[in-house]
Amino acid sequence: MPTISDIALERLDTTDPLRHKRAEFSLPDGVIYLDGNSLGVLPSAVKQRVQKTVEEEWGVSLIRGWNKHEWIDLPITVGNKIARLIGAEAGSVLAADSTSLNVAKAVFAAFSLNPERRVILSDSGNFPTDLYITQSVVAQMGEGYSLKIVAPDEVYDAIDETIAATLITEVDYRTGRKHDMAALTARAHDAGAIAVWDLCHSAGALEIDLTGVGADLAVGCSYKYLNGGPGSPAFIYVAPKHQKQVKPVLTGWMGHEKPFAFDLAYIPAEGIRRMAAGTPPVLALSALDAALDAWADVDMRQVREKSIALSELFIAEVEERCVGLGLELVSPRNAAERGSQISFRCADGYAVMQALIAHGVIGDFRAPDIIRFGFTPLYVGYHDVAKAAETLEMILKTKEWCKPIYRVQEKVT
Ligand SMILES: *Cc1c(COP(=O)(O)O)cnc(C)c1O
């Protein structure tokens, strides 16, 4: 049984202050998309922008485009648009490379700001690439350097005077559990450690105040909630007070003080530009630049409020409709303690998700047994959420997921 009437759903959708944003996105008909936490939907403006960049800029201006169309400044101009969404100062965010690469840069930079210490602290809920990259960085740093991994709820107490830096992902990619950024950053500073934050599941999902919490460094990706497109450039933040001291590890020419002086010796650029390594990917950055314009008139507080309302409705609907069908909520029940996704443990989660996708509700599966649904308030409405819960109920009750076609394993899950 639904927990909410059609009339009440209709009222929620018609009074939604973000309702008009959906028209700015190119969503296929018949799809309820609850995977914007993995790959955001195409903003329509991106289509025109990419076409313009290819045909008018690259096609006509050729090499002159670097100056004429300010391609060379895209890492900074795009970085500034992201900065606004994460509570960062203008000039403190660079759009570049992948999150994985930026984790390497950030961890190395953190060591350069705290050279007496040798331990990076992270937690077992972190996304594996952050841990893999950090393991490699500490191995390259040499004798005595290490990565310490504790359970997410042990991070606070594990921050002591041995820790050079914490590397924490604010929102857990599997469960949506959210760390307290302000408290952990303050604790890191009390212990003389540098606070590095990974905002992959936070940027565009909730309010972030890097300046307010006093974060030292941060990284994040733009193809999830920021809708930059598959594999779009990531970002790196360095607090203004550290920008003169941080040592870049990938000392490429684009981070040089004067790239076009072609000096033999490397001198880092002033400011955030020193975190750049090579030539910026202009097509990808143009797409991201246009995608970010969708946020220009958006209040992150409204995004957060709607995200919570959608998530709460989804939990209520699923739990009411799917009693005794083997689902267990693994996301925190308290909305203040989670990001913008809801996950359930489900024994045959892979097949259940494949069946859901075949029936027009796209979420995803995370091994070993989690089905995950992301809520992106710019283009998901209350009716979508209720319909998704109804479809999940149908798939579980009819055992639709038992069909062999839903068990075929694909490369990307
Ligand atoms: C999505 C995600 C990444 C992805 O890294 P890529 O280099 O873009 O593949 C990294 N870290 C976290 C926490 C993520 O959620």
Side-chain angles (χ1 to χ4, degrees):
M1 278 294 285
T3 62
I4 185 163
S5 70
D6 279 345
I7 294 168
L9 275 176
E10 190 65 35
R11 190 173 319 117
L12 284 170
D13 276 326
T14 49
T15 58
D16 168 11
L18 294 171
R19 179 182 167 83
H20 63 289
K21 297 304 293 182
R22 186 185 179 116
E24 295 174 30
F25 291 85
S26 192
L27 251 172
D29 286 340
V31 168
I32 294 175
Y33 196 67
L34 303 181
D35 212 6
N37 53 325
S38 214
L39 175 66
V41 163
L42 170 64
S44 305
V46 169
K47 291 190 235 179
Q48 285 97 50
R49 176 63 180 274
V50 169
Q51 189 175 13
K52 179 174 173 284
T53 305
V54 169
E55 292 180 0
E56 294 174 28
E57 298 187 3
W58 179 18
V60 176
S61 301
L62 295 166
I63 192 76
R64 294 167 290 190
W66 287 104
N67 292 315
K68 186 168 182 205
H69 306 296
E70 298 171 337
W71 293 343
I72 197 67
D73 297 322
L74 277 171
I76 302 283
T77 48
V78 170
N80 283 341
K81 289 185 185 176
I82 296 171
R84 199 185 69 82
L85 300 174
I86 58 177
E89 306 83 347
S92 63
V93 176
L94 186 83
D97 303 314
S98 62
T99 301
S100 299
L101 273 175
N102 287 336
V103 167
K105 295 188 215 170
V107 169
F108 189 88
F111 276 128
S112 78
L113 293 171
N114 211 354
E116 304 298 319
R117 300 188 187 180
R118 299 183 170 197
V119 182
I120 298 286
L121 178 70
S122 192
D123 72 65
S124 54
N126 205 343
F127 192 82
T129 200
D130 295 43
L131 303 177
Y132 302 159
I133 291 278
T134 305
Q135 280 158 5
S136 174
V137 172
V138 295
Q140 301 300 321
M141 294 288 295
E143 194 60 31
Y145 286 88
S146 66
L147 166 65
K148 182 173 180 179
I149 301 173
V150 300
D153 59 0
E154 292 168 359
V155 171
Y156 190 89
D157 290 331
I159 301 174
D160 60 24
E161 273 71 31
T162 64
I163 304 297
T166 54
L167 169 65
I168 306 293
T169 295
E170 187 188 14
V171 177
D172 184 304
Y173 72 105
R174 270 173 307 197
T175 63
R177 187 239 342 105
K178 185 165 90 61
H179 275 302
D180 184 337
M181 260 182 86
L184 287 178
T185 302
R187 171 87 186 136
H189 290 166
D190 283 347
I194 293 292
V196 185
W197 285 98
D198 185 325
L199 304 175
C200 278
H201 284 278
S202 308
L206 34 96
E207 295 170 273
I208 307 165
D209 187 4
L210 287 180
T211 309
V213 304
D216 300 290
L217 293 145
V219 300
C221 65
S222 69
Y223 50 78
K224 293 172 182 164
Y225 293 90
L226 297 179
N227 314 308
S232 60
F235 63 87
I236 182 163
Y237 163 83
V238 180
K241 65 175 180 209
H242 295 314
Q243 285 176 10
K244 276 193 174 26
Q245 283 97 326
V246 285
K247 269 210 205 117
V249 60
L250 301 173
T251 50
W253 72 311
M254 282 295 155
H256 192 282
E257 185 188 32
K258 292 181 184 142
F260 290 91
F262 298 104
D263 282 341
L264 294 190
Y266 176 82
I267 302 170
E270 288 281 310
I272 191 67
R273 212 167 50 74
R274 69 173 55 186
M275 302 314 278
T279 303
V282 171
L283 300 184
L285 280 167
S286 299
L288 174 56
D289 190 40
L292 289 166
D293 287 340
W295 298 90
D297 61 347
V298 169
D299 176 351
M300 284 310 296
R301 196 153 25 108
Q302 286 183 342
V303 171
R304 177 66 171 157
E305 278 167 13
K306 182 173 168 190
S307 150
I308 290 174
L310 293 171
S311 307
E312 296 280 288
L313 174 63
F314 189 66
I315 295 173
E317 282 286 286
V318 169
E319 290 192 333
E320 173 68 21
R321 288 169 174 278
C322 304
V323 179
L325 295 175
L327 296 181
E328 180 203 340
L329 181 70
V330 291
S331 300
R333 208 167 271 284
N334 176 3
E337 292 168 22
R338 55 174 199 253
S340 198
Q341 65 172 69
I342 296 298
S343 303
F344 290 94
R345 188 160 285 133
C346 174
D348 286 284
Y350 183 83
V352 169
M353 184 51 72
Q354 290 303 311
L356 261 178
I357 292 170
H359 287 81
V361 178
I362 303 183
D364 63 19
F365 169 77
R366 285 292 171 264
D369 59 358
I370 287 182
I371 53 175
R372 193 173 73 148
F373 303 89
F375 299 94
T376 45
L378 298 196
Y379 51 79
V380 170
Y382 295 90
H383 262 111
D384 298 325
V385 165
K387 179 81 184 151
E390 187 187 337
T391 310
L392 178 57
E393 176 190 13
M394 180 277 287
I395 283 182
L396 292 172
K397 282 200 170 141
T398 61
K399 296 206 186 300
E400 169 71 10
W401 58 270
C402 291
K403 290 182 182 162
I405 46 162
Y406 299 131
R407 299 200 171 262
V408 179
Q409 294 274 334
E410 303 231 49
K411 245 191 218 165
V412 175
T413 63

